[in-house]
Amino acid sequence: MIDGVKVKPLRVIPDERGMLMEMLRDDDEFFQKFGQVYLSVVYPGVVKGWHYHKKQTDHFVFVKGMAKVVLYDRREGSKTQGEVNEFFMGEQNRILLVIPPLVLHGMKGVGVEPAFLINTPTEHYVYDSPDEFRVDPHSSDVPYRWDRKDG
């Protein structure tokens, strides 16, 4: 696992009315601070990525559908520099994924319906100076291919 990345299995509490799913709590050992909460949707087969943040830690939870989230550690001096992690997240695997600053990340919608991501980053989005830096999703600088792996 890439240094600083954490996975939290999510607690789902079902009853006859429906269900409640806890995502991020202020007593989680990895909780730092609150920046904002937003929803992002990725359509089936679409790749959103790569990007990274210099200050922000992301906390990803997919609440509907399924997505593949891929991380790449290109941080100089990191003990996991060069490592790639792949996570399948959503209705079939309810987890929260903690993505530290400077770790490249991207996602691809898998399945037949859009995947809905709730992110609770540590920083709010600054419109005139965003902490978001993009890399082409098919860049040869990243040792990962977004193709489906059949077989």
Side-chain angles (χ1 to χ4, degrees):
M1 183 95 70
I2 291 173
D3 187 37
V5 172
K6 305 230 183 311
V7 176
K8 173 188 171 182
L10 296 180
R11 183 173 182 213
V12 177
I13 305 163
D15 66 22
E16 65 272 7
R17 301 167 299 161
M19 68 99 161
L20 177 138
M21 182 174 68
E22 293 183 343
M23 293 186 278
L24 180 63
R25 297 171 47 101
D26 66 354
D27 60 354
D28 285 330
E29 55 91 15
F30 53 79
F31 180 78
Q32 299 171 50
K33 68 178 191 170
F34 171 80
Q36 70 178 41
V37 177
Y38 68 81
L39 168 71
S40 180
V41 177
V42 60
Y43 294 130
V46 173
V47 173
K48 286 185 167 184
W50 300 99
H51 74 273
Y52 66 95
H53 311 284
K54 292 183 179 178
K55 296 183 272 186
Q56 173 176 308
T57 297
D58 284 328
H59 302 94
F60 279 16
V61 175
F62 280 87
V63 296
K64 180 135 181 66
M66 286 295 293
K68 174 172 60 171
V69 176
V70 182
L71 312 179
Y72 173 59
D73 188 357
R74 65 176 196 176
R75 298 173 293 178
E76 292 287 328
S78 168
K79 62 184 175 184
T80 54
Q81 184 177 359
E83 193 168 320
V84 173
N85 293 161
E86 189 177 66
F87 301 90
F88 289 88
M89 303 175 60
E91 291 175 285
Q92 304 301 317
N93 187 29
R94 296 200 182 272
I95 60 173
L96 177 143
L97 181 62
V98 180
I99 305 169
L102 301 174
V103 172
L104 273 173
H105 50 286
M107 67 183 89
K108 180 179 182 178
V110 297
V112 296
E113 64 180 352
F116 288 60
L117 165 71
I118 301 291
N119 187 19
T120 309
T122 56
E123 310 295 325
H124 64 267
Y125 189 83
V126 179
Y127 295 101
D128 59 351
S129 181
D131 178 29
E132 186 168 280
F133 305 91
R134 297 194 174 276
V135 174
D136 183 289
H138 306 289
S139 169
S140 60
D141 294 340
V142 180
Y144 187 81
R145 292 181 51 104
W146 289 101
D147 302 335
R148 189 176 73 193
K149 296 166 182 70
D150 295 330

